[in-house]
Amino acid sequence: MGTIKCIGILTSGGDAPGMNAAIRAVTRTAFYNGWRVKGIMRGYKGLITGEINEFRSESVSNIIQRGGTILKTARCAEFKTPEGRRAAYENMRAAEIDALVVIGGDGTITGARAFAEEFDVPIVGLPGTIDNDLSGTDSTIGYDTALNTITDAVDKLRDTATSHERLFFVEVMGHTAGYLALNGAIATGAEAAIIPEAETGDDQLKTLIDNGFRKSKNSAIVLVAENPVTGGAMGLAKRVEEEFPQYDARVTILGHLQRGGSPTAADRILASRLGAAAIEALKEGQRNVMVGVRNGETVYVPFTQALSHTKCVRSSNIELVKILSI
Ligand code: ATP
């Protein structure tokens, strides 16, 4: 692959607030450097179907404040096959795209890694997911906004929980990562967080009832990460009904509303910084790295490291929820 003159950009997997700000930053920084930009619609699917449009500077006007993604997103099973990726490569070459910037979660980065292993294409990934589950970056684009959305929702539920003296299980996203549940619990003063990371043989519900949620309190809010092991909020409420019938448990599943909305200032700034850094990375000859931020500095994280699942919620924050809920 020779010098880069034209890049392709796509968003893939679950949408996250701030993806548009990232698209804007990548596009404008590419133009600043004299490169062309092509927008690929619907993630890897658009690469396979050839849904690729030339971007102009105005293509990304007035989008920094908008949630979702103007490029749309999709989950594309065909890209998981060598034939699908070959078709994507051929379309990419036909569109004169020299390098790719992909924005998405761990699946998107996994797809980029597979593509880069088969074809000589420089790819830079941006962490765009509300789950904050990519290693090598302190935060992912969309996480802060989702956390704020959860905080607003739980503040409202607290009024009802207190008035009716109920136990509320509030289910949030993050089936393998408890960032939203744990930090949401800290931000809302919830009594507990039930998260996958603490699922180490302990019965988190029993511990909660035995220790945290006790005589002095007859209402409580517990943030629960969606999780097949615990059965999520519904599974826990069922157990309360059967095992601890003295409590009146209710369930709220926040679902997709956590993904929407205008990105917070923090997410817009993160997306703008990382978007610009993606172009810098390509200029420096970097390839097959995710751009992240660590201790305030922009860093390049090899795909394999980004996917290593070595990042973990702070155990001191698990302790903090316990201390602050006595
Ligand atoms: P979120 O964290 O919001 O769910 P994600 O990027 O993890 O976002 P996925 O649906 O897991 O979302 O992945 C997005 C797309 O990446 C998939 O639809 C598929 O096209 C591609 N992809 C995922 N895993 C692979 C893989 N093993 N090989 C090739 N492509 C993959």
Side-chain angles (χ1 to χ4, degrees), residues 201-222:
D202 271 11
D203 184 343
Q204 295 184 73
L205 178 64
K206 187 164 181 330
T207 310
L208 162 71
I209 303 274
D210 288 350
N211 302 332
F213 182 66
R214 59 190 146 136
K215 314 99 199 168
S216 57
K217 286 185 177 178
N218 44 13
S219 81
I221 296 214
V222 178

Side-chain angles (χ1 to χ4, degrees), residues 12-14 44 74-76 79-80 85 104-108 110-111 114 129 131:
S12 156
Y44 294 122
R75 305 201 192 258
C76 173
F79 196 75
K80 292 186 178 175
R85 292 193 293 274
D106 58 348
T108 302
T110 305
T129 169
D131 294 343

Side-chain angles (χ1 to χ4, degrees), residues 29-284:
T29 311
F31 287 153
Y32 180 80
N33 285 283
W35 293 357
R36 288 164 65 202
V37 177
K38 296 204 173 175
I40 300 156
M41 300 301 293
R42 300 180 177 78
Y44 294 122
K45 193 169 174 203
L47 212 47
I48 292 173
T49 57
E51 229 186 318
I52 300 170
N53 306 311
E54 180 97 36
F55 264 9
R56 290 171 294 130
S57 189
E58 309 79 78
S59 307
V60 294
S61 293
N62 199 19
I63 64 167
I64 194 169
Q65 76 282 21
R66 284 167 55 192
T69 159
I70 58 161
L71 287 172
K72 315 286 184 196
T73 182
R75 305 201 192 258
C76 173
E78 218 186 327
F79 196 75
K80 292 186 178 175
T81 67
E83 299 75 34
R85 292 193 293 274
R86 156 79 42 201
Y89 178 71
E90 278 160 14
N91 277 327
M92 197 193 111
R93 300 304 300 144
E96 299 176 336
I97 293 170
D98 305 311
L100 285 177
V101 176
V102 302
I103 309 171
D106 58 348
T108 302
I109 302 293
T110 305
R113 182 175 62 179
F115 196 60
E117 275 165 9
E118 290 164 347
F119 303 101
D120 180 21
V121 179
I123 311 182
V124 171
L126 292 184
T129 169
I130 65 166
D131 294 343
N132 199 24
D133 59 350
L134 284 159
S135 299
T137 186
D138 291 340
S139 189
T140 56
I141 297 164
Y143 169 63
D144 183 68
T145 307
L147 202 49
N148 278 282
T149 302
I150 290 167
T151 303
D152 279 352
V154 174
D155 285 349
K156 293 192 172 90
L157 288 167
R158 169 78 70 189
D159 294 342
T160 302
T162 314
S163 304
H164 285 269
E165 304 186 310
R166 277 177 186 154
L167 167 59
F168 258 91
F169 290 112
V170 183
E171 185 175 299
V172 301
M173 287 189 173
H175 56 284
T176 56
Y179 288 94
L180 289 172
L182 182 61
N183 289 321
I186 294 173
T188 56
E191 277 62 32
I194 294 189
I195 58 173
E197 290 86 342
E199 207 54 50
T200 50
D202 271 11
D203 184 343
Q204 295 184 73
L205 178 64
K206 187 164 181 330
T207 310
L208 162 71
I209 303 274
D210 288 350
N211 302 332
F213 182 66
R214 59 190 146 136
K215 314 99 199 168
S216 57
K217 286 185 177 178
N218 44 13
S219 81
I221 296 214
V222 178
L223 267 70
V224 180
E226 55 180 355
N227 185 342
V229 180
T230 60
M234 292 297 280
L236 293 167
K238 194 157 175 291
R239 276 193 59 198
V240 169
E241 200 183 329
E242 288 162 6
E243 298 170 36
F244 311 99
Q246 66 273 34
Y247 297 112
D248 182 16
R250 297 296 157 103
V251 167
T252 299
I253 297 175
L254 296 184
H256 285 89
L257 72 80
Q258 295 163 85
R259 291 242 193 97
S262 182
T264 57
D267 268 332
R268 296 181 199 195
I269 294 166
L270 179 67
S272 299
R273 284 185 64 195
L274 296 188
I279 298 301
E280 285 308 314
L282 287 170
K283 272 173 65 189
E284 286 173 21

Side-chain angles (χ1 to χ4, degrees), residues 287-304:
R287 46 166 57 210
N288 315 332
V289 291
M290 181 189 83
V291 183
V293 70
R294 223 180 295 147
N295 300 324
E297 297 298 323
T298 306
V299 290
Y300 302 144
V301 187
F303 285 157
T304 300

